[in-house]
Amino acid sequence: MTNEELNTEFREAVFFMNSYTKPLPADLLLKLYAYFKIANKNYNNPGSKTPLINAFKANALIQAQSINAEEAMRKYINLVNKEIKKV
């Protein structure tokens, strides 16, 4: 898969998730959050008004810190396809 194809597939997965309305398990949402942030090289602190949510988000980012942006995109796409779309 070329870099352009990966970026396109990632954007499509993000678009799908942004329009997804069914409830999802918190652990899945946290993984998606971490992969999205790493893929976009956005390492800002979580912006929730709830400290506990910020702690969970920060923990998810720490757990995924060893991967690069391309790997984060692949993991995000795989999670969306396998866990949500069930492809």
Side-chain angles (χ1 to χ4, degrees):
M1 177 181 301
T2 67
N3 207 19
E4 185 177 325
E5 291 169 333
L6 179 62
N7 283 317
T8 299
E9 201 169 328
F10 177 70
R11 283 192 306 271
E12 289 170 357
V14 169
F15 180 79
F16 175 82
M17 287 309 303
N18 285 338
S19 61
Y20 193 81
T21 58
K22 295 179 185 174
L24 293 168
D27 63 327
L28 180 62
L29 291 172
L30 288 168
K31 286 179 185 176
L32 289 169
Y33 168 82
Y35 297 151
F36 178 83
K37 294 282 274 188
I38 292 169
N40 287 291
K41 298 179 182 175
N42 179 351
Y43 303 107
N44 295 337
N45 290 329
S48 175
K49 294 179 182 178
T50 308
L52 185 59
I53 292 173
N54 283 337
F56 281 118
K57 287 180 173 182
N59 185 49
L61 281 168
I62 289 167
Q63 290 180 19
Q65 71 184 355
S66 65
I67 63 173
N68 64 29
E70 286 183 1
E71 184 65 19
M73 284 186 216
R74 285 187 188 90
K75 287 182 175 286
Y76 188 99
I77 293 163
N78 286 337
L79 266 181
V80 170
N81 287 341
K82 291 180 181 172
E83 300 294 328
I84 300 158
K85 290 182 176 180
K86 308 277 188 195
V87 174

